[in-house]
Amino acid sequence: MMHNHERAYIRHPADIPLEVSPASQTVCAGAIRNLSRGGLSFSCAVPYSPGQDVDLVIRCCPNPLEVRGQVVWCEPKDGGFEVGIAFYSPGDAYQVRMVEQICQIEQYRRDMLAREGRDLSIDQAAREWIERYAHQFAQGDWSEE
């Protein structure tokens, strides 16, 4: 398991819907706040215990992604909690990263419709997003190991 936390990897801000469901608690609906190769952090109304295993579900795509991680830290923040999760494998991190890219492209598509009235297909949006933002998104080594 990857135990490195916070400063070990480049952070990639996100605001992607996330469901977290440890066996002993109800599902927490939150949003990914930071994503790195080692894990992610999210905001939630309930605290989690370091060392606790959690199942993560990201539903911003047609096919939700499910991965397992472990809580490495939990801190009070803004009346709730910010929770840090370590991924169990680089492959899990890579899958989450790819889902993040799909979510960002879909958000770009919605933004272009709202701001410019352009109704782009997913392929058109992907091409434009890659042209404009892929260089920023590709920071760090995110290749699957």
Side-chain angles (χ1 to χ4, degrees), residues 20-130:
V20 183
S21 56
S24 62
Q25 292 179 310
T26 58
V27 172
C28 169
I32 296 173
R33 296 294 174 215
N34 284 296
L35 175 64
S36 78
R37 184 175 172 152
L40 59 82
S41 68
F42 66 96
S43 299
C44 191
V46 297
Y48 287 82
S49 301
Q52 183 175 17
D53 288 332
V54 291
D55 294 318
L56 309 167
V57 180
I58 302 171
R59 296 189 187 277
C60 69
C61 299
N63 299 315
L65 174 65
E66 298 181 25
V67 295
R68 183 167 273 246
Q70 185 177 66
V71 176
V72 291
W73 54 270
C74 181
E75 301 170 355
K77 186 171 182 182
D78 300 329
F81 298 89
E82 188 87 4
V83 182
I85 304 293
F87 296 123
Y88 279 103
S89 75
D92 289 343
Y94 184 78
Q95 286 183 54
V96 171
R97 184 70 169 151
M98 292 304 95
V99 168
E100 178 192 12
Q101 185 174 10
I102 293 166
C103 293
Q104 296 221 6
I105 291 168
E106 184 56 36
Q107 183 61 53
Y108 175 81
R109 190 172 168 235
R110 287 191 299 265
D111 289 349
M112 289 301 98
L113 182 59
R115 283 192 296 210
E116 299 178 9
R118 295 190 304 135
D119 189 8
L120 302 173
S121 71
I122 192 65
D123 289 340
Q124 291 169 318
R127 279 192 295 277
E128 284 187 21
W129 185 90
I130 288 167

